[in-house]
């Protein structure tokens, strides 16, 4: 009840202020690659409804559709959408999530500039990725395990400006500006580290992108 009422209040505030509100639940690596979990953990999650699903069902009854990417990622499991030594998705996984979000926004508003870029708009390359958070959880693990991860480079013109020193914003915030974006709109993201693999793609559609990392919904920051 508490979580539902909080999110409904967020939705109502945005609607009153002319803001399109999207609520998103990001799937963990083990949500997509469940078959690789130890048998005891697989047994524990069988025939249960996750907290995320419970909240989503409650909000849907209030007319708020929460985005979840499990069905988005399932067809691409063979391509490796998550970093090998990390719980986060890689750049390609972030792109798939970005497409899902922007397709939802485009269908809701019918604003052409919200139509997401396509995979063929990018050059698909690979780069070296250092050990991730799975390795760091192994106490005193003596080795640094690197991996090759996909990176998408735009084939079209863009002009990125990254700002990380805006003193008005919370610590670890980032502002992205792209003068060649599809629209002159602004996107504000309250999220954890999962958006780090997405935010450059959002800058293709929005002139300015604010990513306030590890920040809850904050009306003062929205007004700012």
């Amino acid at each position: 009840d508490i979580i539902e009422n909080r999110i409904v209040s967020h939705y109502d505030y945005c609607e009153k202020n002319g803001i399109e509100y999207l609520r998103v639940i990001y799937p963990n690596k083990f949500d997509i690659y469940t078959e690789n979990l130890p048998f005891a953990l697989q047994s524990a999650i069988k025939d249960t409804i996750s907290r995320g699903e419970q909240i989503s069902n409650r909000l849907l009854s209030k007319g708020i559709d929460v985005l979840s990417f499990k069905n988005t990622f399932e067809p691409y499991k063979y391509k490796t959408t998550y970093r090998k030594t990390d719980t986060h998705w890689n750049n390609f996984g972030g792109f798939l999530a970005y497409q899902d979000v922007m397709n939802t926004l485009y269908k809701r508003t019918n604003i052409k500039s919200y139509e997401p870029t396509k995979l063929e708009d990018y050059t698909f390359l690979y780069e070296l990725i250092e050990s991730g958070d799975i390795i760091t959880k192994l106490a005193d693990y003596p080795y640094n395990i690197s991996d090759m991860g996909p990176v998408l480079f735009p084939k079209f013109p863009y002009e990125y400006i990254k700002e990380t020193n805006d003193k008005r914003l919370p610590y670890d915030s980032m502002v992205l500006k792209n003068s060649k974006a599809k629209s002159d709109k602004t996107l504000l993201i309250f999220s954890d580290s999962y958006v780090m693999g997405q935010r450059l793609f959002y800058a293709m559609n929005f002139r300015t992108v604010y990513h306030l990392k590890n920040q809850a919904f904050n009306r003062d920051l929205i007004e700012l």
Side-chain angles (χ1 to χ4, degrees), residues 5-56:
N5 291 336
R6 183 187 303 140
I7 295 175
V8 169
S9 72
H10 297 169
Y11 180 85
D12 291 342
Y13 169 85
C14 288
E15 192 171 45
K16 290 176 183 176
N17 288 277
I19 300 169
E20 291 290 344
Y21 176 83
L22 288 175
R23 189 82 186 186
V24 178
I25 296 178
Y26 299 126
N28 281 302
K29 192 176 188 178
F30 52 76
D31 292 322
I32 305 301
Y33 298 97
T34 307
E35 67 277 7
N36 293 327
L37 288 172
F39 178 75
L41 289 177
Q42 291 189 46
S43 301
I45 63 175
K46 187 176 181 181
D47 297 327
T48 62
I49 301 176
S50 71
R51 295 175 67 189
E53 289 173 304
Q54 293 176 56
I55 294 298
S56 295

Side-chain angles (χ1 to χ4, degrees), residues 11 14 27 66 82 89 127-128 142 149 157 191 204:
Y11 180 85
C14 288
V66 178
Y82 285 74
W89 50 43
E127 70 176 7
L128 189 67
S191 84
M204 303 303 178

Side-chain angles (χ1 to χ4, degrees), residues 121-136:
D121 296 327
Y122 299 84
T123 301
F124 205 94
L125 301 175
Y126 285 83
E127 70 176 7
L128 189 67
I129 298 176
E130 296 300 321
S131 294
D133 58 9
I134 292 178
I135 299 300
T136 60

Side-chain angles (χ1 to χ4, degrees), residues 14 24 50 58 60 77 97 114 189 193 195 212 216 224:
C14 288
V24 178
S50 71
R58 289 284 291 271
L60 192 58
K77 287 174 64 170
Y114 289 162
I189 306 171
S193 52
V195 164
L212 308 187
L224 176 63

Side-chain angles (χ1 to χ4, degrees), residues 64-130:
I64 301 174
D65 187 12
V66 178
L67 298 184
S68 178
F69 302 125
K70 188 166 185 178
N71 292 335
T72 301
F73 279 84
E74 288 284 351
Y76 293 95
K77 287 174 64 170
Y78 72 99
K79 282 184 173 290
T80 308
T81 52
Y82 285 74
R83 293 173 59 185
K84 185 175 182 180
T85 61
D86 198 279
T87 57
H88 296 81
W89 50 43
N90 55 35
N91 194 240
F92 176 58
F95 175 77
L96 295 177
Y98 147 81
Q99 276 199 316
D100 213 333
V101 171
M102 293 308 300
N103 270 321
T104 300
L105 189 59
Y106 174 52
K107 291 175 183 176
R108 179 188 293 183
T109 63
N110 202 32
I111 296 176
K112 184 67 176 176
S113 58
Y114 289 162
E115 192 172 13
T117 53
K118 298 178 174 59
L119 191 58
E120 54 264 33
D121 296 327
Y122 299 84
T123 301
F124 205 94
L125 301 175
Y126 285 83
E127 70 176 7
L128 189 67
I129 298 176
E130 296 300 321

Side-chain angles (χ1 to χ4, degrees), residues 183-194:
S183 77
D184 60 356
K185 302 289 187 181
T186 297
L187 174 67
L188 173 58
I189 306 171
F190 295 110
S191 84
D192 58 16
S193 52
Y194 269 79

